[in-house]
Amino acid sequence: MSVPLRPPALLTAPLLVLALLLTGCASSGSTAPVGAPGQGAAGPESDAASVLRSSPSAEEETPSPAEIPGLGPSTRAEIPEDARQAFVVTGQDEEANRSSAVLYSREDPAEGWVAVAGPWDAHNGMEGWTDHHVAGDLRSPKGVYSLTDAGGRLPDPGALLPYDEHPRFAVDGEGFYGEPLEGSFDYVVAINYNRTEGVTPLDRTRPLGLERGGGIWIHVDHGGPTQGCVSIPEERMEELLRTLDPELNPVIVMGDAETLGR
């Protein structure tokens, strides 16, 4: 076997210099092509810096709590901060005596309002809605009112609000279209318009005076418009009574769509 002769030292040095000139500063074993970006810290014009600038923030914005559809800022401002239930009754226009009712809840204020029942068909005052209700105008008062007391001719169906069962809730006669009124007050929830909170709906105390009307209730629908109350079907009244919770400070938000949207 032949052994190759070692090249003279004088020949080795020029070859090494030529190799260094051809390979540049790449370290031994590097696979980076000629002209590839360096592997040092990212500078302001490096590819790595561009990736960092375009990456989304790790901390996303917290979504706003959900609002009740159809309510404008003025109406929302009337709802107390501690209210966790809102029964929203919306008429098509100011003269309409038919309306739609939806119950909302916000047990978690961070998430906002959620519809929990409805929409239900409803009636309101024969002549529609008003900003200034007076006795006998046949209009339902617009606004936001607390709901604290209930009652009816029939036994308590499981109401969470204080419930007054009394025969004085019996009613007879006919409505505006000749429909029988019997049973209309089998179940009622008092709307706290011109009344004292914390007493039976039958109480006739009128803090604003008798001329401003009163006895505005949510009650059983009799198939026609009311004298100023809000009415919903009997089975819906039972459901409402079992759901309205005094611990959640329920309110009613009522009026025509245009007004509620302000």
Side-chain angles (χ1 to χ4, degrees):
M1 178 171 64
S2 63
V3 178
L5 297 176
R6 175 178 297 178
L10 292 176
L11 294 176
T12 304
L15 290 173
L16 178 60
V17 171
L18 178 60
L20 289 173
L21 290 173
L22 292 174
T23 58
C25 296
S27 61
S28 176
S30 172
T31 60
V34 176
Q39 302 300 314
E45 300 304 324
S46 69
D47 290 347
S50 299
V51 172
L52 289 174
R53 286 198 301 269
S54 62
S55 298
S57 172
E59 191 172 321
E60 296 182 358
E61 289 188 11
T62 303
S64 300
E67 299 289 358
I68 297 175
L71 302 189
S74 295
T75 302
R76 292 198 300 267
E78 293 183 46
I79 301 176
E81 286 293 327
D82 61 356
R84 297 291 179 264
Q85 289 179 320
F87 189 54
V88 180
V89 181
T90 309
Q92 290 184 348
D93 57 62
E94 196 171 47
E95 307 302 319
N97 55 45
R98 283 185 170 274
S99 43
S100 178
V102 180
L103 180 62
Y104 291 87
S105 173
R106 62 170 174 183
E107 295 188 30
D108 183 353
E111 294 186 2
W113 293 100
V114 177
V116 295
W120 300 333
D121 290 335
H123 279 101
N124 52 275
M126 175 67 177
E127 300 297 332
W129 302 92
T130 181
D131 286 316
H132 187 81
H133 176 71
V134 295
D137 67 2
L138 303 181
R139 294 181 178 271
S140 298
K142 305 175 188 177
V144 178
Y145 306 98
S146 58
L147 303 171
T148 56
D149 307 285
R153 183 183 66 86
L154 297 181
D156 185 350
L160 300 178
L161 297 175
Y163 186 90
D164 178 28
E165 178 189 351
H166 202 288
R168 285 177 56 200
F169 285 104
V171 63
D172 55 18
E174 293 184 344
F176 294 103
Y177 299 142
E179 73 279 10
L181 298 180
E182 184 178 358
S184 297
F185 303 152
D186 283 354
Y187 301 117
V188 311
V189 175
I191 296 171
N192 288 338
Y193 165 82
N194 198 19
R195 72 177 299 270
T196 303
E197 297 183 13
V199 297
T200 173
L202 294 169
D203 184 86
R204 297 185 63 82
T205 303
R206 302 289 181 255
L208 300 177
L210 294 177
E211 70 279 1
R212 293 298 305 276
I216 306 296
W217 298 341
I218 308 168
H219 63 70
V220 176
D221 190 79
H222 48 74
T226 71
Q227 295 192 29
C229 297
V230 169
S231 62
I232 58 177
E234 183 171 0
E235 64 272 18
R236 302 308 186 193
M237 274 301 303
E238 293 180 10
E239 182 177 349
L240 190 66
L241 285 166
R242 297 189 187 109
T243 306
L244 292 178
D245 186 345
E247 295 295 322
L248 300 179
N249 300 307
V251 297
I252 185 170
V253 183
M254 52 194 285
D256 60 282
E258 181 179 354
T259 299
L260 296 185
R262 296 173 183 167

